[in-house]
Amino acid sequence: MAHKHIQIFDTTLRDGEQVPGCQLNTDEKIEIALALEKLGVDIIEVGFPISSPGDFESVSKIAGIITESTVCALSRAVEKDIDAAAEAVKNARMPRIHTGIGTSDSHVFSKLRTTREHVLERGVAAVKYAKRFVEDVEFYAEDAGRTDNEYLAKVLEAVIEAGATVVNIPDTTGYCLPWQYGAKIKYLKEHVKGIDKVHISTHCHNDLGLATANSIAGIEHGATQVECTINGIGERAGNASLEEVVMILRQHQDLNFDTRIQSHQLKSMSELVSTRMRMPVQPNKAIVGSNAFSHSSGIHQDGVIKSRETYEIIDPLDVGVHESSIVLTARSGRAALKFRAAKLGFDVEREQMEPYYEAFLKLADEKKVVQDQDLLTLFSS
């Protein structure tokens, strides 16, 4: 049975770039957009054109270059925003306008200071206006995670009737638990007329560390598009991590979903974004962190040396990492020392290892991590 295709909507260049200190110039944005296209991203959200002349220029230039991915521009449910977005993506081979409005009580009554009826009218009007320029219009119901399901369903039904091709269900504040977010998608699938004719998109934030889990719950209950970023970069605690979503679907074949992402490019893509955005990746970051395939415990090292699958569920090569890393510390055992010595050309028999191991432990206590140069000295003496 063929896996169901899940579209990857990358918003590194829009939501990711909203992180303080991560702003990019036009050339850097073009470089990342081209890399995302090569990676296999279905939709690239490249910016918010109305926000600044520089962002408009970047979106416009990228739209004229990208040919294999949909190029998407963000707008509020405001005509001048939509005008700017339409102008910026007009030369794209596959253009999309992403427009919307807040739907939770917090947004309707506190932020917008209006009524639910007026929000629905603005959402419909925005979609209809955007349809004048492009066929592909995505509608976001900001803070859908905290929006009453019955009202949310009413809004989505109206915007679908108005011509929306994608409906985005953002957990804007990262509030939902996975079962709650999954249940919300399920409710919408069952109660919104016409929803089977459009894509349902997830857009989950990571305030409680649940962005990836919520995205997967959304997919399991009917979402066909996931909005995410490289390295999980984004507002506050970040967005769902592209590499995590992709590899979860790839590893759990029983879910029967997959993407067209070229996973062997994930590590280099992570490094490119980290470098250009000046945003280091935490060492213990899943999939692309420097420690993701590193082992320092003697028990773990022995297991991995005998069979990689003992402690690694992903082949490092599948995500572009050359090989697993055996890090030598005072917690390392004889098997790890022998393994690393052999890599350096020292084939020491087991019965000859003990004096070297005792010297290694003393060195490890002093240096914390023993490097190859240290081993060369140790085994050459």
Side-chain angles (χ1 to χ4, degrees), residues 128-318:
K128 286 182 176 179
Y129 190 69
K131 290 288 279 192
R132 296 183 185 184
F133 304 101
V134 296
E135 177 56 34
D136 191 5
V137 175
E138 178 172 344
F139 175 82
Y140 64 83
E142 190 176 7
D143 204 18
R146 296 189 296 173
T147 299
D148 170 72
N149 283 349
E150 188 175 340
Y151 173 64
L152 181 60
K154 186 177 179 181
V155 172
L156 296 183
E157 191 167 304
V159 298
I160 290 170
E161 187 177 353
T165 52
V166 183
V167 288
N168 178 13
I169 318 301
D171 184 23
T172 305
T173 60
Y175 176 76
C176 290
L177 297 172
W179 69 264
Q180 294 172 322
Y181 190 76
K184 186 176 288 283
I185 300 296
K186 184 175 186 289
Y187 178 90
L188 297 173
K189 282 282 288 183
E190 294 172 349
H191 291 85
V192 176
K193 181 181 177 181
I195 202 164
D196 56 319
K197 297 180 175 64
V198 303
H199 283 286
I200 302 174
S201 184
T202 68
H203 182 108
C204 299
H205 279 262
N206 206 41
D207 298 70
L208 293 175
L210 295 170
T212 296
N214 284 340
S215 300
I216 298 300
I219 292 170
E220 289 183 292
H221 288 87
T224 52
Q225 175 180 291
V226 175
E227 306 194 5
C228 45
T229 61
I230 300 297
N231 299 333
I233 195 171
E235 285 272 5
R236 303 182 312 281
N239 290 48
S241 165
L242 181 150
E243 56 274 8
E244 292 172 11
V245 171
V246 167
M247 293 312 295
I248 287 170
L249 298 182
R250 195 94 12 120
Q251 290 301 304
H252 286 273
Q253 296 286 308
D254 54 307
L255 294 177
N256 205 38
F257 301 108
D258 204 356
T259 70
R260 67 184 188 98
I261 295 298
Q262 304 299 306
S263 65
H264 62 279
Q265 298 177 26
L266 288 172
K267 180 64 172 178
S268 59
M269 189 77 232
S270 167
E271 291 172 347
L272 173 63
V273 169
S274 176
T275 300
R276 296 293 178 265
M277 288 191 158
R278 297 159 290 281
M279 185 74 159
V281 177
Q282 65 192 67
N284 63 322
K285 169 74 175 65
I287 315 300
V288 294
S290 60
N291 289 346
F293 299 97
S294 295
H295 308 273
S296 64
S297 160
I299 295 171
H300 285 228
Q301 290 172 337
D302 183 51
V304 168
I305 289 168
K306 290 173 178 173
S307 175
R308 182 190 56 77
E309 291 83 0
T310 305
Y311 286 103
E312 291 181 354
I313 61 170
I314 297 171
D315 186 334
L317 292 172
D318 288 346

Side-chain angles (χ1 to χ4, degrees), residues 45-172:
E45 186 169 53
V46 295
F48 185 15
I50 195 67
S51 65
S52 74
D55 213 39
F56 180 92
E57 178 191 12
S58 296
V59 174
S60 182
K61 286 188 174 181
I62 292 170
I65 294 171
I66 299 298
T67 60
E68 299 301 318
S69 305
T70 294
V71 175
C72 178
L74 185 75
S75 77
R76 295 166 297 181
V78 176
E79 286 191 1
K80 66 177 183 177
D81 280 32
I82 296 169
D83 287 336
E87 181 65 21
V89 300
K90 69 178 182 181
N91 292 322
R93 179 170 172 265
M94 294 179 285
R96 175 183 293 184
I97 293 175
H98 188 189
T99 190
I101 193 168
T103 54
S104 69
D105 285 354
S106 176
H107 280 246
V108 174
F109 303 124
S110 299
K111 176 182 150 184
L112 299 171
R113 298 186 178 182
T114 185
T115 64
R116 284 183 165 186
E117 292 73 21
H118 184 57
V119 162
L120 189 150
E121 290 169 4
R122 281 187 60 184
V124 168
V127 170
K128 286 182 176 179
Y129 190 69
K131 290 288 279 192
R132 296 183 185 184
F133 304 101
V134 296
E135 177 56 34
D136 191 5
V137 175
E138 178 172 344
F139 175 82
Y140 64 83
E142 190 176 7
D143 204 18
R146 296 189 296 173
T147 299
D148 170 72
N149 283 349
E150 188 175 340
Y151 173 64
L152 181 60
K154 186 177 179 181
V155 172
L156 296 183
E157 191 167 304
V159 298
I160 290 170
E161 187 177 353
T165 52
V166 183
V167 288
N168 178 13
I169 318 301
D171 184 23
T172 305

